Amino acid sequence: QKEVEQNSGPLSVPEGAIASLNCTYSDRGSQSFFWYRQYSGKSPELIMSIYSNGDKEDGRFTAQLNKASQYVSLLIRDSQPSDSATYLCAVISSSGSARQLTFGSGTQLTVLP
Amino acid sequence: GAVVSQHPSRVICKSGTSVKIECRSLDFQATTMFWYRQFPKQSLMLMATSNEGSKATYEQGVEKDKFLINHASLTLSTLTVTSAHPEDSSFYICSAQMGVFHTFGSGTRLTVV
């Protein structure tokens, strides 16, 4: 069983729409959750971190965490073509050493003009 | 913010030669750095965890004699791909840890011909 799972997509949304990205994780003791954006040929860049149940908003991005359901999501409002990228969910597992990140397989998002 | 510099960004080498990739934390000290490999359309795969002043911890299936990691200071870790083969061609990415945050280098595209 994969430790972090994401819908691989691809996901296509029209410009201006809300993009919804989902992630589940297997380690119930995980405490730290991250969303990274990766453009083709580039390294990942952190866009959101969340540690507590509920919503966390930053500009057009909202991360949602539900530890009981072991579920974390990312909403992108007013999606722009520049949001087209692969979005990686990452978790710091309680069982991992040195606080290493465990990544999901990524969801490829395309925002259509 | 934290910056991690990774060099070179792109390298082409002949089969059988060795290639060294450098990862530097520019404005913070990183006791732990991580090395990842990413094949096309796949997620990041952790290769090893590098701790300053001690031997790296390699993930299962990663040959430590082929992928030499040195973390001689709090700001520098190097990955040397020895006796490179075409199947080693990949995107190699380092990250440096500060607290729970991981800052990624820009990545190195290695092509072995």
Side-chain angles (χ1 to χ4, degrees), chain A residues 43 95 98 104:
Chain A
S43 67
S95 60

Side-chain angles (χ1 to χ4, degrees), chain B residues 43-63:
Chain B
S43 191
L44 279 72
M45 185 191 78
L46 180 66
M47 298 176 67
T49 301
S50 167
N51 291 296
E52 184 267 337
S54 63
K55 291 183 178 180
T57 302
Y58 291 81
E59 295 300 301
Q60 191 172 9
V62 178
E63 300 174 59

Side-chain angles (χ1 to χ4, degrees), chain A residues 25-94:
Chain A
Y25 58 95
S26 60
D27 183 357
R28 185 170 289 278
S30 299
Q31 297 294 323
S32 304
F33 308 87
F34 307 88
W35 283 99
Y36 287 85
R37 177 175 62 198
Q38 186 177 25
Y39 292 113
S40 180
K42 304 293 184 182
S43 67
E45 57 178 319
L46 180 67
I47 53 174
M48 289 290 284
S49 61
I50 187 166
Y51 311 104
S52 304
N53 280 328
D55 295 0
K56 178 181 178 182
E57 187 175 317
D58 183 0
R60 296 186 295 111
F61 298 97
T62 299
Q64 299 174 317
L65 175 61
N66 184 325
K67 289 186 178 181
S69 300
Q70 295 174 238
Y71 174 91
V72 59
S73 66
L74 179 70
L75 299 177
I76 306 174
R77 290 182 300 281
D78 188 23
S79 295
Q80 301 297 310
S82 58
D83 295 326
S84 298
T86 296
Y87 289 80
L88 299 165
C89 173
V91 175
I92 292 182
S93 170
S94 60

Side-chain angles (χ1 to χ4, degrees), chain B residues 30-82:
Chain B
T31 54
T32 304
M33 291 187 177
F34 302 88
W35 288 95
Y36 299 85
R37 181 167 52 183
Q38 187 176 35
F39 293 106
K41 298 194 181 300
Q42 293 186 24
S43 191
L44 279 72
M45 185 191 78
L46 180 66
M47 298 176 67
T49 301
S50 167
N51 291 296
E52 184 267 337
S54 63
K55 291 183 178 180
T57 302
Y58 291 81
E59 295 300 301
Q60 191 172 9
V62 178
E63 300 174 59
K64 62 180 181 181
D65 294 330
K66 181 171 183 61
F67 298 99
L68 301 178
I69 292 173
N70 184 278
H71 194 156
S73 76
L74 287 172
T75 60
L76 174 64
S77 178
T78 61
L79 167 67
T80 301
V81 182
T82 63

Side-chain angles (χ1 to χ4, degrees), chain B residues 4 18-19 24 28 34 46-47 51 64 77 79 81-84 88 93 100 102:
Chain B
V4 173
S18 296
V19 173
R24 291 180 184 272
F28 67 102
F34 302 88
L46 180 66
M47 298 176 67
N51 291 296
K64 62 180 181 181
S77 178
L79 167 67
V81 182
T82 63
S83 186
D88 298 324
I93 310 172
V100 296
H102 293 230

